Amino acid sequence: MRIVFHDLTVEPQPWLAQLRLAFPGADIALWQPGAAPADYALVWAPPQQLLDEQTALKALFNIAAGVDALMQMRLPPGVPIFRLDDAGMAVQMAEFVCQAVIRHYRELDPVEADARGGHWRQRKPRRRADFPVGVMGLGVLGKRVLAALKAFEFPLRGWSRTPHAIDGVRTYCGPSQWPEFLASTRVLVNLLPLTPETENILNRDTLSRLQAGGYLINVARGRHLVDADLLDLLASGQLSGAALDVFRQEPLPAEHPFWRHPLISITPHTSARTLRDESIAQIIGKISRLEAGADPHSLGGWVRTELRY
Ligand code: GLV
């Protein structure tokens, strides 16, 4: 068995070492141009040449939850693709979104600004019922976020392409129920995959359908959001703020107006980091099951490749 690895954003040696431990006797190497075709490839944002050279691939593993970068490339035909399936990301996403919702609801940014200015100023408690939280995207991350938010008793909404029934959550699906979902939401959490259908989905029209004082939490992809529309809606008072973890260009360029905007809080694509040990263990488990003859569709994280760019 031959496995190649290519991810320029991580230290590759621990990945190679753990793969070698799991598959003694296998040929496991960093991908080099012109290398022999592999049985399995583990990649993040690979060069097109890596994909073009694979003539014997049994599976391609994307070392991230989002497959948007890979989906824009020419893929080896018929090869099953897997993305990370939770692998420690869901709990991180839940804690991150809960803190963003609570920070907004409890007005912790202005409270802390008061404190920094030496002002002891209590604010009038707000009604939780006035802050329905709507989660776009009801996959493993969206469901985990909603389960965590439930503990804080916010009214909960969920929207996705396909129908889902989630206890304690009012769910909506498809384009026909999209306006109703937005109108029933005040704090909007974006966890959608980036596809041609969802690109620019957070725009002037959609964001202005949120309840008065709407607040945006974008933890999916920067290209979901039309930046200029967000700035306009904040300026007009239609939206009360945003917590943004992802951007059209990352790192966010120094001159971008989001950096200095008083109603926008910025984090550097950090809401749910890829955890090395969990991710390697998950991929090793899937390779072992594929080698034992498992149907790829039965393994978590299998990507429907017809969702193509
Ligand atoms: C992070 O953004 C990921 O897709 O895993």
Side-chain angles (χ1 to χ4, degrees), residues 200 202-205 207 216 222 224-236 239 244 248 256-258 261 264:
N200 300 324
L202 302 170
N203 56 46
R204 188 183 311 274
D205 172 54
L207 293 174
L216 171 67
H224 285 125
L225 173 66
V226 180
D227 294 0
D229 289 1
L230 174 65
L231 291 169
D232 287 352
L233 292 169
L234 290 171
S236 70
L239 292 186
L244 305 178
R248 298 186 90 86
H256 198 290
F258 285 171
H261 200 294
I264 296 180

Side-chain angles (χ1 to χ4, degrees), residues 14-122:
W15 286 81
L16 298 179
Q18 289 197 44
L19 286 163
R20 286 181 182 132
L21 209 59
F23 303 114
D27 171 12
I28 296 167
L30 287 180
W31 176 76
Q32 303 288 345
D39 298 289
Y40 299 98
L42 281 56
V43 301
W44 167 245
Q48 184 62 52
Q49 188 182 352
L50 182 157
L51 299 175
D52 289 346
E53 285 178 3
Q54 303 310 318
T55 51
L57 213 54
K58 297 183 194 164
L60 179 62
F61 292 92
N62 180 59
I63 308 174
V67 286
D68 42 293
L70 207 52
M71 287 294 145
Q72 291 180 72
M73 305 184 73
R74 196 167 52 249
L75 297 169
V79 172
I81 297 173
F82 295 92
R83 61 191 188 85
L84 292 179
D85 178 28
D86 186 345
M89 271 186 239
V91 66
Q92 297 180 71
M93 195 53 99
E95 70 199 1
F96 187 91
V97 171
C98 285
Q99 72 76 33
V101 170
I102 291 165
R103 175 160 283 275
H104 171 61
Y105 168 61
R106 297 295 300 270
E107 301 182 275
L108 293 178
D109 284 329
V111 164
E112 285 172 12
D114 283 348
R116 271 193 300 276
H119 304 296
W120 180 278
R121 179 170 165 231
Q122 291 182 326

Side-chain angles (χ1 to χ4, degrees), residues 64-66 89 221 269:
M89 271 186 239
R221 286 291 182 263
H269 201 143

Side-chain angles (χ1 to χ4, degrees), residues 104 126-127 129-132 181-188 206-216 233 236-241:
H104 171 61
R126 309 206 277 184
R127 270 171 30 100
D130 292 340
F131 286 81
F181 163 75
L182 292 170
S184 74
T185 292
R186 175 156 171 183
V187 179
L188 183 67
T206 55
L207 293 174
S208 49
R209 289 171 189 262
L210 294 175
Q211 294 181 356
Y215 187 82
L216 171 67
L233 292 169
S236 70
Q238 180 109 23
L239 292 186
S240 61

Side-chain angles (χ1 to χ4, degrees), residues 143-160:
K143 285 193 172 127
R144 184 69 180 79
V145 163
L146 283 162
L149 283 168
K150 199 181 279 182
F152 300 104
E153 300 177 14
F154 292 103
L156 298 177
R157 324 281 183 233
W159 179 84
S160 67

Side-chain angles (χ1 to χ4, degrees), residues 292-303:
D295 174 0
H297 306 89
S298 70
L299 305 182
W302 172 68
V303 176

